[in-house]
């Protein structure tokens, strides 16, 4: 799977671990920054992650910031993006299965690299359910995108 990865400065140290794990797992990776620990605004990175997904350049995205919250807020501002903060394995797979999340956000100040690997594996291993109830709900989210 082709994955776009982005981080702000707070997530930058963990991003190296994330990139290594993705490559070890056989995924193709698009890194959209940040590329050093200098301060960067997470909305700028969220825009790059979202663009890679909405243009089809990547199938899913991962963002790492301090808590995951800012990254999620920024990504969710972009049409066609469904981003979620995930700090437990259940949420990491269920957000895809039930909500068709296409950007998972994690907080480098909240989880360590070992848990981040488990979260990423659960997220990327999940598929969107074929159940009508989940499809109907996600379709309503798409309608809400168009109402902006």
């Amino acid at each position: 799977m082709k994955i776009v990865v982005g981080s702000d400065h707070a997530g930058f140290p963990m991003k190296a671990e994330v990139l290594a794990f993705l490559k070890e797992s056989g995924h193709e990776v698009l890194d959209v920054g940040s590329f050093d620990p200098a301060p960067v605004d997470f909305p700028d990175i969220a825009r790059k992650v979202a663009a890679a997904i909405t243009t089809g350049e990547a199938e899913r995205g991962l963002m790492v910031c301090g808590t995951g919250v800012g990254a999620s807020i920024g990504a969710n501002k972009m049409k066609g993006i469904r981003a979620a903060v995930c700090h437990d394995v259940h949420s990491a797979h269920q957000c895809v299965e039930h909500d068709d999340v296409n950007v998972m956000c994690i907080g480098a100040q909240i989880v360590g690299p070992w848990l981040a690997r488990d979260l990423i594996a659960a997220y990327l291993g999940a598929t969107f359910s074929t159940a009508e109830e989940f499809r109907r709900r996600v379709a309503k989210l798409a309608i809400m995108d168009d109402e902006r």
Side-chain angles (χ1 to χ4, degrees), residues 15-123:
K15 188 178 76 162
E17 306 242 4
V18 167
L19 294 172
F21 177 68
L22 290 170
K23 290 173 185 174
E24 289 167 17
S25 301
H27 296 286
E28 187 178 347
V29 178
L30 171 62
D31 182 356
V32 296
S34 67
F35 299 109
D36 58 51
V40 62
D41 295 337
F42 66 82
D44 298 333
I45 302 299
R47 184 180 296 277
K48 291 177 183 181
V49 168
I53 293 168
T54 59
T55 62
E57 192 175 359
E59 296 171 64
R60 290 197 197 161
L62 288 165
M63 288 191 65
V64 186
C65 71
T67 64
V69 174
S72 176
I73 293 168
N76 277 315
K77 294 291 185 183
M78 305 304 295
K79 183 176 179 175
I81 298 300
R82 290 169 307 282
V85 178
C86 296
H87 291 150
D88 66 273
V89 172
H90 180 71
S91 297
H93 69 80
Q94 190 169 344
C95 72
V96 174
E97 294 164 354
H98 290 193
D99 306 309
D100 201 21
V101 161
N102 51 16
V103 177
M104 183 174 74
C105 305
I106 55 179
Q109 297 165 346
I110 309 299
V111 304
W114 56 271
L115 180 53
R117 287 174 172 251
D118 290 347
L119 296 172
I120 293 165
Y123 167 66

